[in-house]
Amino acid sequence: MAPINVVVTGAAGQIAYSLLYQLAAGNVFGQDVPINLRLLDIAPAMGILNGVVMELEDLASPLLSDVLPTDQPELAFKDADAAFLVGAMPRKQGMERKDLLAANVKIFKVQGEALDKFAKKTVKVLVVGNPANTNALMCSHYAPSIPKENFTAMTRLDQNRAQAALAIKLGVVVDKVKNVTIWGNHSSTQYPDAAHATVEKNGKVQPVPEAVNDESWLNQTFVETIQKRGAAVIAARTMSSAMSAAKAAGDHMRDWWYGTQPNQFVSMGVVSDGSYGIPKDIVFSFPVTIKDKQYKIVQGLNINSFARSKLDITAKELEEERAEANHILQQ
C-alpha cells in the first residue's frame, strides 16, 4: 500500500508530541497504513523538532515510511492527504480570546494559502489550534479550491470530556455512554447536550436524562463543568490540555477516515449549512454521522427552549469572532 501524506503543524509542541505517537502506532489511520509524516513548525523550534524526529526513529514503527521536519509550508503541505493544524499561539492564563484570535488568524491565512496551492483537493483538514472554529473558517476561506466541508474544527475533546463526566456520574465505563453532543464553539459558550445521549447500565440501554434523573445537574453543573474544563486544566497544570487534546484529535480523524458506528454520532465543528437555525458560514459544532469520509449533520433532534437559548449564545459568539477575524485581516 502506498503511504499517505499526513501533516502535523506545531510539531515540536506538547499536543503534537502525544499525537505523533498515536499516528506512528497506527491508532488513527490503521495498523496496515504506512505514513509519510510532514512536521511543520517555526524556524526557532527546529532544534526541538529534530529531537522529536530522533524519538520517532527510535519508536522503530514499521508504519513510518518517511519523516520530514520543516519550517516551509510548501514542503509540509505538498500532496497532503490529511492535516492536523495544531500549531497556534497557545492560550495562557488570563489571556482574552480576542488576543488569541488576533495572533492566530494570520497563521491560518498562511496555512490556508499553502493548502490551496500544494495539498490534494481531497485533503481532510482538522484544526486543533484555538480559537479552532474561527481558525478553520479562515483557513477554508484562503483555500477556495478545496471544498469547505474538508475543513473541520475539533470539539471532540469537549465530547470526550462530557462523555467521561456522565460516565462518572452514572458509575459506568465511558464507552457505555453514547451520542453526547457538543453544539457551537470550542469555548466557554459551547453547549454540551446530554438530551439525546444513551447509557447502557445493568444490561439495559436508557436515555441519559432518565438515568441521571437530575435536571438541574444536567443543565447547570454538567454544562458549566464541561464549558470550563479547559480553563480548569490550565489552572491546575499551568499549561493547556495536551494528552487529552491529542487523543481527541486522533479520535476525530479516525472517525472521519473510517466512519461512525451504526446508530452513533460524534461532534465536529463544520461549516454551517443553516441546520437547526444556525447562521450559515460559521464553523459550528454539530452532531454528525460519517460514511465514506463524508459527514452529514444529524437532523431532526428535538431542541427545547433551554437548548435553543444556549445554541443562540454560542452562534452569536462565532458570528462576532468571524467579524473580528475579517477586521484583523483587512488591517
Side-chain angles (χ1 to χ4, degrees), residues 1-31:
M1 182 185 288
I4 59 170
N5 299 318
V6 179
V7 182
V8 178
T9 74
Q14 288 262 326
I15 294 174
Y17 193 73
S18 288
L19 176 60
L20 291 170
Y21 173 75
Q22 289 188 71
L23 295 172
N27 296 351
V28 178
F29 295 104
Q31 303 287 337

Side-chain angles (χ1 to χ4, degrees), residues 169-170 197-201 206-214 218:
K169 176 75 171 172
L170 292 165
T198 61
V199 60
E200 184 186 334
K201 191 171 183 182
Q206 64 184 129
V208 161
E210 185 184 298
V212 171
N213 195 27
D214 185 343
L218 281 172

Side-chain angles (χ1 to χ4, degrees), residues 178-191:
K178 306 228 177 353
N179 295 349
V180 184
T181 304
I182 303 296
W183 300 94
N185 201 0
H186 174 63
S187 78
S188 61
T189 67
Q190 66 175 260
Y191 175 45

